[in-house]
């Protein structure tokens, strides 16, 4: 492959803005086309431009666009594109695509597939059963003695998981998912699994099908409100590395007992994994266990992890698609990164769009402002989604990184804006310090 890269980046969220930001720093990258992009990728990034003429789910149209623009690397952001098999569309015309095959992407596309995969390959995970018939699932749920988690098997925008507090609520949620279809067709098949107690980590791993390298362990904050209260969201903040929670010994265990066996089993089953594997891990009293696999970068983890990556991201992606990841000198900056998500009032439920965003101070290089649900309307920046912006800051210590991120938040205002005030509370011993300081 030529040393000069023309990149087609697919998606419009904060993850995609962060990917464009990092790829634009590569001396190999000539131009980045973001389809469709957002207000942040439309203005302010060198080498980057938005393309809105082709829908992000029109894969043949995206192939034609890539050929016309002489693209030689495609980076899909959203889960749906990867699970739909976008990699195959570009492979068929000889354009490199940093994503797993459609077969390997079943790890995220079907919770039932991924749980069966873990079971037959001895990868530690929660006890489970999966069902495509409501009455059978109901009968099973009525009989189980342990606390459960109910998961829609298909894609549900990161919100297809419910953790009922008792049997009555579990039965009600089961009906909502399978009969009422609160998650649409994603809930036509469900997984009922044992509720695991412990601390959750996000592990992001580059793989070329044989070799793999992981970014620092991160911790996401899924609940909408402080103290891990309120409904599940796509993620309200993140920090890394989570060194107090994941010791070197724990990370070695994750490599040996989870990641290595995962990539080996995928090769053995004829579906080697190339791309980014984002594994949700629960640190339990009996060791790390897999909560779920995702087959793309996480959001907001990407906005937290990429500022810590010292190695050229384009070099890593090309090495993955060329099965030469072992040739990359994989380096991580010392220090920490903290990310705070600013959301629209009402999120993850109904929310208003088109609200003007006011920025009273410039951002960059630290803290960085990553756009998610934004668009440019003339010279005005406006909201266009539930999660609107992410403020990410780095520092030598976690407290300073948190302080810098929240200081950046003070420069942003839009009607109904809300954010969690306790990001990294499991890391910082006295998390009331954070809540009090940023009320």
């Amino acid at each position: 492959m030529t040393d000069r890269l023309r990149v087609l980046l697919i998606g419009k969220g904060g993850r995609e803005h962060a990917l464009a930001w990092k790829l634009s720093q590569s001396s190999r990258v000539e131009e980045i086309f973001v389809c469709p992009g957002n207000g942040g990728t439309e203005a302010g990034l060198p080498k980057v431009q938005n393309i809105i003429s082709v829908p992000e789910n029109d894969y043949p149209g995206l192939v034609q666009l890539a050929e016309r623009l002489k693209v030689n690397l495609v980076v899909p952001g959203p889960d749906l594109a990867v699970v739909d098999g976008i990699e195959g569309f570009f492979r068929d015309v000889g354009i490199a695509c940093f994503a797993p095959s459609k077969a390997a992407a079943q790890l995220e596309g079907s919770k039932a597939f991924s749980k069966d995969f873990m079971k037959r390959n001895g990868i530690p995970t929660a006890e489970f059963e999966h069902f495509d018939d409501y009455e059978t699932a109901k009968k099973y749920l009525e009989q189980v003695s342990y606390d459960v988690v109910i998961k829609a098997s298909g894609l549900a925008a990161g919100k297809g998981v419910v953790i009922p507090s008792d049997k009555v609520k579990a039965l009600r949620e089961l009906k909502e998912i399978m009969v009422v279809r609160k998650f649409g067709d994603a809930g036509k098949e469900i997984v009922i699994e044992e509720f695991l107690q412990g601390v959750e980590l996000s592990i992001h791993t580059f793989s070329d099908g044989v070799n793999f390298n992981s970014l620092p362990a991160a911790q996401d904050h899924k609940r909408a409100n402080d103290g891990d209260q309120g409904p599940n969201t796509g993620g309200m903040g993140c920090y890394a590395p989570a060194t107090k929670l994941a010791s070197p010994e724990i990370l070695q265990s994750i490599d040996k007992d989870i990641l290595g066996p995962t990539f080996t089993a995928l090769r053995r089953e004829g579906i080697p994994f190339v791309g980014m594997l984002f594994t949700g891990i629960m640190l339990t009293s009996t060791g790390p266990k897999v909560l779920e696999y995702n087959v793309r970068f996480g959001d907001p983890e990407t906005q937290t992890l990429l500022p810590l990556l010292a190695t050229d991201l384009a070099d890593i992606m090309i090495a993955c698609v060329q099965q030469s990841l072992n040739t990359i000198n994989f380096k991580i900056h010392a220090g920490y990164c903290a990310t705070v998500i600013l959301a629209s009032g009402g999120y993850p439920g109904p929310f208003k769009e088109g609200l003007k965003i006011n920025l009273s101070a410039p951002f960059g290089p630290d803290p960085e402002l990553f756009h998610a649900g934004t668009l440019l309307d003339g010279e005005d920046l406006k909201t266009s989604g539930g999660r609107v912006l992410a403020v990410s800051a780095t520092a030598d210590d976690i407290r300073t990184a948190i302080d810098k991120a929240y200081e950046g938040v003070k420069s942003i205002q839009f009607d109904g804006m809300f954010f969690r005030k306790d990001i990294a509370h499991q890391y910082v011993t006295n998390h009331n310090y954070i809540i009090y300081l940023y009320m």
Side-chain angles (χ1 to χ4, degrees):
M1 177 177 285
T2 176
D3 283 341
R4 312 304 295 170
L5 295 174
R6 294 172 65 81
V7 180
L8 176 60
L9 173 59
I10 299 162
K12 60 182 178 182
R15 163 183 52 214
E16 287 75 34
H17 187 186
L19 287 166
W21 169 80
K22 194 67 175 179
L23 286 167
S24 72
Q25 297 168 19
S26 172
S27 60
R28 296 184 67 175
V29 173
E30 286 185 343
E31 202 156 8
I32 302 168
F33 307 98
V34 190
C35 183
N38 58 36
T41 53
E42 186 171 349
L45 279 180
K47 310 179 189 176
V48 178
Q49 63 176 286
N50 286 356
I51 302 248
I52 61 173
S53 58
V54 181
E56 62 182 300
N57 61 353
D58 177 4
Y59 307 130
L62 290 172
V63 169
Q64 293 176 4
L65 175 68
E67 291 179 322
R68 187 167 70 250
L69 296 173
K70 295 181 170 48
V71 162
N72 51 7
L73 176 63
V74 177
V75 181
D79 51 11
L80 182 60
V82 181
V83 170
D84 279 350
I86 191 172
E87 181 271 344
F89 286 87
F90 289 97
R91 176 168 26 90
D92 287 347
V93 296
I95 298 176
C97 183
F98 180 77
S101 66
K102 185 173 184 177
Q106 291 178 93
L107 284 179
E108 180 170 5
S110 169
K111 296 289 192 299
F113 173 89
S114 68
K115 295 293 285 191
D116 286 342
F117 169 84
M118 286 182 263
K119 185 175 183 178
R120 67 177 173 266
N121 290 293
I123 295 164
T125 189
E127 293 295 323
F128 73 97
E129 294 289 344
H130 55 81
F131 305 89
D132 57 12
D133 176 73
Y134 168 69
E135 291 297 334
T136 307
K138 179 184 175 185
K139 184 177 180 180
Y140 174 81
L141 189 55
E142 288 171 338
Q143 294 174 345
V144 296
S145 57
Y146 51 78
D147 292 336
V148 301
V149 178
I150 305 174
K151 298 180 177 180
S153 183
L155 297 179
K159 305 181 189 74
V161 177
V162 294
I163 307 173
S165 56
D166 56 49
K167 187 66 66 72
V168 172
K169 291 179 180 176
L171 289 166
R172 184 170 65 241
E173 288 288 356
L174 181 67
K175 186 174 183 179
E176 285 287 315
I177 295 171
M178 296 195 77
V179 178
V180 180
R181 294 289 177 90
K182 67 184 287 186
F183 299 129
D185 285 345
K188 64 184 179 182
E189 183 176 24
I190 57 99
V191 172
I192 299 175
E193 68 179 36
E194 168 195 13
F195 175 73
L196 295 178
Q197 297 279 358
V199 176
E200 189 172 347
L201 293 178
S202 298
I203 305 294
H204 284 66
T205 308
F206 293 98
S207 173
D208 65 2
V210 176
N211 307 288
F212 65 92
N213 285 105
S214 293
L215 291 164
Q219 188 173 53
D220 185 13
H221 297 62
K222 284 291 187 188
R223 298 297 184 109
N225 303 325
D226 294 336
D228 294 324
Q229 302 297 307
N232 271 338
T233 70
M236 293 297 294
C238 188
Y239 72 96
T243 49
K244 274 191 180 179
L245 307 177
S247 66
E249 292 76 21
I250 287 174
L251 294 176
Q252 288 171 11
S253 172
I254 290 171
D255 278 356
K256 182 173 82 66
D257 299 328
I258 294 174
L259 295 176
T262 294
F263 294 121
T264 297
L266 287 166
R267 286 198 310 277
R268 186 170 59 243
E269 296 188 9
I271 48 173
F273 188 98
V274 175
M276 169 58 65
L277 183 68
F278 158 24
T279 309
I281 301 284
M282 185 69 82
L283 302 181
T284 76
S285 59
T286 57
K289 295 186 178 182
V290 177
L291 291 172
E292 64 179 8
Y293 293 117
N294 302 279
V295 296
R296 37 71 195 181
F297 288 90
D299 188 336
E301 288 93 345
T302 305
Q303 297 92 301
T304 304
L305 292 170
L306 290 187
L308 296 173
L309 179 62
T311 304
D312 187 311
L313 178 59
D315 285 346
I316 296 172
M317 289 180 168
I318 292 300
C320 285
V321 299
Q322 293 184 338
Q323 288 74 54
S324 59
L325 186 58
N326 59 316
T327 66
I328 294 294
N329 187 8
F330 197 79
K331 292 183 179 180
I332 302 297
H333 292 299
Y336 296 82
C337 185
T339 300
V340 180
I341 297 293
L342 310 182
S344 297
Y347 175 79
F351 52 84
K352 292 181 179 179
E353 297 188 5
L355 303 173
K356 185 177 179 181
I357 301 169
N358 297 300
L359 304 177
S360 61
F363 280 85
D366 198 358
E368 280 291 343
L369 183 65
F370 295 115
H371 293 233
T374 72
L375 56 81
L376 282 176
D377 183 7
E379 295 185 357
D380 290 336
L381 183 65
K382 294 185 176 181
T383 66
S384 64
R387 292 186 296 172
V388 179
L389 295 163
V391 180
S392 293
T394 61
D396 291 338
D397 63 274
I398 187 64
R399 276 194 185 274
T400 303
I402 294 165
D403 289 347
K404 287 171 67 176
Y406 279 109
E407 192 63 29
V409 169
K410 294 178 182 178
S411 302
I412 305 167
Q413 189 278 325
F414 57 88
D415 288 346
M417 182 182 92
F418 81 97
F419 56 94
R420 281 187 58 163
K421 305 173 183 66
D422 65 345
I423 299 304
H425 69 83
Q426 290 197 36
Y427 195 102
V428 180
T429 304
N430 180 14
H431 69 268
N432 288 326
Y433 161 82
I434 304 173
I435 295 175
Y436 171 77
L437 187 59
Y438 301 109
M439 285 293 285

